[in-house]
Amino acid sequence: MASPRRKQQQHGDGDGDDDSYSFRYLSGLGNSFTSEAVPGSLPGAQNSPLVCPLGLYAEQLSGTPFTAPRARNLRTWLYRIKPSVTHEPFHPCQPAHRRLIGEFDRTTTVATPTQLRWAPADVPQAPPLDFIDGLYTVCGAGSSFLRHGYAVHMYAANKSMDGCAFCNADGDFLIVPQQGKLLVTTECGKLLVPPGEIVVIPQGFRFAVDLPDGPSRGYVSEIFGTHFQLPDLGPIGANGLASARDFLSPTAWFEQAHRPGYTIVQKYGGELFTATQDFSPFNVVAWHGNYVPYKYDLSKFCPFNTVLFDHADPSVNTVLTAPTDKPGVALLDFVIFPPRWLVAENTFRPPYYHRNCMSEFMGLIYGIYEKLSS
């Protein structure tokens, strides 16, 4: 194939090292984007021409079935130096990762109705642990095989992923760093994610996590069988909570280096499998579509709150939701309690006691848990 001409770090696109990389993002959640690292590398007028520009290979990554309604149909066309399928066969990861769970039943988990609380996990100094090695399951429900349910993980890593990429075939990852910045390289480009921001890696994307600030820890929500979306606003109206324009997706970036022994780690059915190849999976020179990784700065969330009496239900602080087929019932909601004014008359100061029909997993990013400080 023709070798793509390398481009300077203009508009955050191109092939180069991280020190010279200029982070530029595409704004909007649910938009259909186009991005190219080399001018003219994106085909015009069709998705899969007989010969793609620069001799690239066209590859579609689908996030929904082909026949999903247009309003919910997710897919992106990737134009890459080498097809992603050109790898060696997958084999079970050895040694097996015993701390990840994808099937939540009585043979793999223990149920308890007791409220639990624990201290933050220490980031180990040794042995070396990257994002994959440091990922472990805390709780969940359902089944990754049946494509219905969720898992809540935590991670504690002290090294960057080197010579390998991760791919979750089970569902979407929503990653919340609590300590240490993350540099997430995806097939669509790079995302820099400090604490106070989140990043969503949709099902099927290959990605790698580097630690530019050193050790990192945080939380991960995983959903099976659906994707995250903005919640409906109902009587709130057209504006408020998380704004679609504040969600940022990467611009195209690629590397062309020969990488013998590069490892793809695939999560499938809750288990890890590995395959080797002789090239980087981040060889996408151009792409277009609406199925992309994205990040969000939680400080941009516009909360709504009490102005007279009583407390609003915590669902009013929903950033993203993973809906089910039952109206009003979510598989998983991602909710935050950001700094905000609480103004009420003749109202018990802490949020009310309640027994919920949904399970709650709460994690602290910064500050003091407000129920303890009330």
Side-chain angles (χ1 to χ4, degrees):
M1 59 160 284
S3 176
R5 177 174 56 84
R6 296 195 174 205
K7 183 190 176 188
Q8 297 298 318
Q9 301 307 306
Q10 180 180 1
H11 304 302
D13 302 337
D15 183 13
D17 57 39
D18 295 331
D19 293 336
S20 63
Y21 185 78
S22 174
F23 290 93
R24 294 288 297 272
Y25 301 111
L26 303 167
S27 171
L29 184 62
N31 290 0
S32 186
F33 298 115
T34 64
S35 184
E36 54 182 14
V38 177
S41 55
L42 197 64
Q46 65 180 113
N47 295 319
S48 185
L50 180 63
V51 178
C52 292
L54 305 177
L56 299 171
Y57 292 90
E59 180 178 292
Q60 182 177 206
L61 178 58
S62 295
T64 54
F66 294 134
T67 54
R70 180 179 286 262
R72 297 196 297 272
N73 205 299
L74 300 172
R75 59 89 180 97
T76 285
W77 282 90
L78 310 172
Y79 299 92
R80 56 197 322 147
I81 298 170
K82 197 171 183 180
S84 62
V85 72
T86 52
H87 56 73
E88 298 297 321
F90 279 98
H91 300 284
C93 187
Q94 296 295 336
H97 196 314
R98 299 297 183 187
R99 299 196 298 168
L100 279 180
I101 298 175
E103 303 300 302
F104 295 90
D105 55 40
R106 298 309 295 269
T107 63
T108 58
T109 58
V110 176
T112 175
T114 302
Q115 299 90 343
L116 303 175
R117 179 180 294 171
W118 55 91
D122 293 328
V123 179
Q125 299 301 313
L129 296 174
D130 63 18
F131 177 80
I132 303 173
D133 298 327
L135 190 65
Y136 58 96
T137 305
V138 176
C139 62
S143 166
S144 59
F145 273 118
L146 298 179
R147 291 289 192 268
H148 186 78
Y150 68 90
V152 174
H153 315 285
M154 298 183 73
Y155 74 90
N158 57 24
K159 70 180 288 287
S160 299
M161 293 172 60
D162 183 24
C164 68
F166 195 20
C167 178
N168 185 2
D170 291 335
D172 292 7
F173 272 157
L174 188 157
I175 303 172
V176 187
Q178 184 271 328
Q179 173 188 317
K181 190 182 299 180
L182 303 181
L183 173 58
V184 183
T185 302
T186 75
E187 291 170 282
C188 289
K190 292 173 176 281
L191 295 160
L192 191 63
V193 189
E197 296 186 1
I198 63 171
V199 59
V200 174
I201 310 295
Q203 177 184 346
F205 273 97
R206 292 174 178 177
F207 68 98
V209 177
D210 291 325
L211 309 179
D213 290 347
S216 177
R217 69 183 177 194
Y219 314 96
V220 181
S221 293
E222 181 182 13
I223 52 174
F224 313 133
T226 187
H227 298 290
F228 288 106
Q229 64 183 49
L230 290 172
D232 290 332
L233 293 180
I236 291 176
N239 305 289
L241 307 189
S243 174
R245 73 171 183 167
D246 293 325
F247 289 81
L248 303 177
S249 293
T251 51
W253 178 90
F254 69 95
E255 58 181 358
Q256 196 176 350
H258 184 58
R259 302 290 297 272
Y262 197 99
T263 302
I264 303 297
V265 182
Q266 182 115 337
K267 182 174 177 292
Y268 181 79
E271 299 182 16
L272 299 187
F273 299 81
T274 61
T276 58
Q277 56 189 48
D278 61 2
F279 62 97
S280 167
F282 310 119
N283 63 353
V284 177
V285 182
W287 59 268
H288 77 87
N290 63 352
Y291 189 53
V292 292
Y294 54 87
K295 71 169 193 167
Y296 177 71
D297 182 346
L298 298 175
S299 69
K300 296 182 181 297
F301 186 79
C302 177
F304 282 71
N305 216 334
T306 300
V307 294
L308 187 57
F309 63 88
D310 286 350
H311 290 278
D313 293 331
S315 53
V316 77
N317 292 306
T318 300
V319 179
L320 291 168
T321 184
T324 65
D325 294 334
K326 186 181 294 186
V329 178
L331 181 68
L332 185 143
D333 288 328
F334 177 69
V335 178
I336 64 172
F337 298 95
R340 63 206 186 280
W341 292 104
L342 294 173
V343 183
E345 298 177 358
N346 192 35
T347 299
F348 187 56
R349 169 62 181 82
Y352 56 83
Y353 294 106
H354 71 287
R355 291 180 294 174
N356 201 342
C357 64
M358 299 180 72
S359 298
E360 294 183 355
F361 178 89
M362 303 188 69
L364 189 67
I365 302 174
Y366 58 84
I368 300 174
Y369 179 39
E370 62 184 39
K371 287 190 177 181
L372 296 180
S373 61
S374 299

